[in-house]
Amino acid sequence: MERLKIAVQKSGRLSEKSLGLISEAGIKLDNGDRKLISQSSNFPIEILFLRDDDIPQYVADGVADIGIVGENVIWEKKFEIPIVEKLGFAKCRLSLAIAKSIDYTGVQYFNGKKIATSYPNILSKFLTDNNIKAEIHEISGSVEIAPGIGLADSIFDIVSSGSTLISNGLREVEIVVKSEAVICSTKKLSDSKQKILDKLIFRLRAVQKAEKNKYVVLNAPYDKIELIKEIIPGMKSPTVVPLVKEGWCSVHSVLQENDFWEVIDKLQECGAEGILVIPIEKMIV
Ligand code: PRT
Ligand code: ZN
């Protein structure tokens, strides 16, 4: 049987989350140890463990059918491969940063400056788009120490919490792009591989949707049901179960994590009591 070949980062920031998603989708991989290739016994996929920088190339060449990688790597390598799903983890931004003591007045500051980065292509496009002539100094790691040791005036690097910049006396002054982990795909998949991919994405969405939602159970007076229905409409409509206590019922529904506290406040205003909020494992709508 044909197997969908999935390129995953061998070890690094994306590895655990990538394998976690696959496992939450109910896919078992043989041999927990990171070999170079691993197959699943209950789903037609094969995992190739690679350095993240190599993933776009493998996918573009069709050696891997799909890959899980940061968008930043795809952009930097300038591969025009389709992105089939955003995964919402490894979120970061690529930003320009300068010494915090410098008075920054705008992007023109970078004219004539020397910028250290591991992302010369993304930076070069930004500079051209903004009509700035700067010198790009490409280095492969520890970019944030470059200004401190006199190698460059400023840096262009990945930022997530910002604490690395702060501890190196730097300040983020321009966010150039935002990136997250995505599934990229080779241009033409066979019909059978496309079916496997569709099934995989269906499962991943169920897991991700579940993470964004909570199951809520509460007690409320019957005469408030209409109001409560408006607040927590759920997937179709809430389930209402009578309580032994007269005039009261239990309401079961689903609510979104985003507006969680706001919804809880409204429910309490409607007289809801004994509110339980429970995680959902999978959600298929
Ligand atoms: O060995 P391999 O080549 O496979 O891995 P790698 O070392 O090149 O990459 P890795 O594992 O560090 O990162 C993989 C991907 O994670 C990146 O391509 C990004 O898409 C994403 N990502 C998300 C990050 C960060 N957040 C991040 N914070 N990648 C790197 N960082 C580094 C950043 O370079 C800086 O040094 O963390 C530091 C900043 O972090 P904060 O939190 O202090 O701002
Ligand atoms: Zn890398």
Side-chain angles (χ1 to χ4, degrees):
M1 193 213 292
E2 251 194 324
R3 286 181 177 269
L4 186 76
K5 293 192 191 115
I6 310 179
V8 168
Q9 189 188 27
K10 185 168 166 44
S11 76
R13 282 169 207 267
L14 305 173
S15 315
E16 202 177 309
K17 281 263 170 65
S18 306
L19 292 176
L21 271 184
I22 289 167
S23 142
E24 283 169 54
I27 301 171
K28 293 198 179 79
L29 294 178
D30 57 26
N31 194 344
D33 295 346
R34 304 269 166 82
K35 298 182 300 184
L36 290 180
I37 296 180
S38 175
Q39 291 198 338
S40 166
S41 50
N42 66 349
F43 199 76
I45 59 162
E46 182 170 281
I47 308 283
L48 312 181
F49 293 102
L50 302 170
R51 281 202 59 190
D52 70 341
D53 313 69
D54 296 333
I55 292 177
Q57 177 84 61
Y58 274 68
V59 171
D61 292 347
V63 177
D65 299 306
I66 63 167
I68 301 180
V69 70
E71 286 172 298
N72 52 304
V73 178
I74 302 174
W75 295 327
E76 180 58 26
K77 306 272 173 191
K78 295 186 174 171
F79 281 109
E80 296 199 355
I81 43 178
I83 288 173
V84 293
E85 190 77 357
K86 295 203 172 209
L87 297 171
F89 66 86
K91 285 192 173 173
C92 57
R93 45 200 194 269
L94 275 100
S95 297
L96 281 158
I98 60 173
K100 69 169 189 286
S101 54
I102 294 171
D103 207 15
Y104 183 72
T105 49
V107 69
Q108 290 304 325
Y109 164 85
F110 291 99
N111 252 320
K113 294 287 191 299
K114 193 169 174 183
I115 311 169
T117 188
S118 314
Y119 291 89
N121 289 328
I122 299 174
L123 175 58
S124 162
K125 181 173 184 311
F126 174 79
L127 296 176
T128 309
D129 290 350
N130 285 278
N131 227 347
I132 290 160
K133 290 207 163 43
E135 188 188 331
I136 298 177
H137 187 82
E138 186 178 348
I139 46 178
S140 59
S142 306
V143 173
E144 61 282 349
I145 64 166
I149 59 172
L151 195 65
D153 304 297
S154 49
I155 66 162
F156 175 64
D157 198 11
I158 293 181
V159 183
S160 62
S161 70
S163 63
T164 304
L165 292 184
I166 292 171
S167 60
N168 284 282
L170 299 169
R171 177 161 68 104
E172 183 178 14
V173 291
E174 296 287 340
I175 296 176
V176 172
V177 277
K178 291 188 174 165
S179 168
E180 66 184 86
V182 294
I183 298 182
C184 56
S185 161
T186 198
K187 276 195 178 137
K188 189 83 196 91
L189 285 179
S190 67
D191 287 351
S192 64
K193 284 186 175 178
Q194 185 64 49
K195 281 204 185 97
I196 304 168
L197 176 58
D198 292 345
K199 211 166 172 179
L200 176 69
I201 287 178
F202 171 79
R203 292 190 186 187
L204 295 183
R205 285 189 187 156
V207 173
Q208 288 187 317
K209 204 160 176 58
E211 280 168 5
K212 286 194 196 121
N213 288 272
K214 297 276 180 252
Y215 191 75
V216 59
V217 182
L218 57 85
N219 294 329
Y222 254 123
D223 57 2
K224 293 287 168 37
I225 283 299
E226 285 306 314
L227 281 176
I228 290 176
K229 216 168 78 184
E230 295 292 311
I231 305 168
I232 43 171
M235 288 162 76
K236 209 169 229 98
S237 76
T239 306
V240 179
V241 188
L243 290 189
V244 175
K245 187 179 162 86
E246 198 158 327
W248 282 74
C249 59
S250 166
V251 182
H252 297 219
S253 192
V254 165
L255 66 82
Q256 284 208 353
E257 181 88 87
N258 299 355
D259 29 61
F260 180 79
W261 289 111
E262 217 174 292
V263 170
I264 298 292
D265 288 347
K266 282 193 196 150
L267 290 170
Q268 281 184 315
E269 281 163 24
C270 287
E273 289 177 5
I275 305 172
L276 302 179
V277 179
I278 304 152
I280 299 171
E281 200 171 310
K282 307 275 187 307
M283 195 163 155
I284 293 132
V285 290

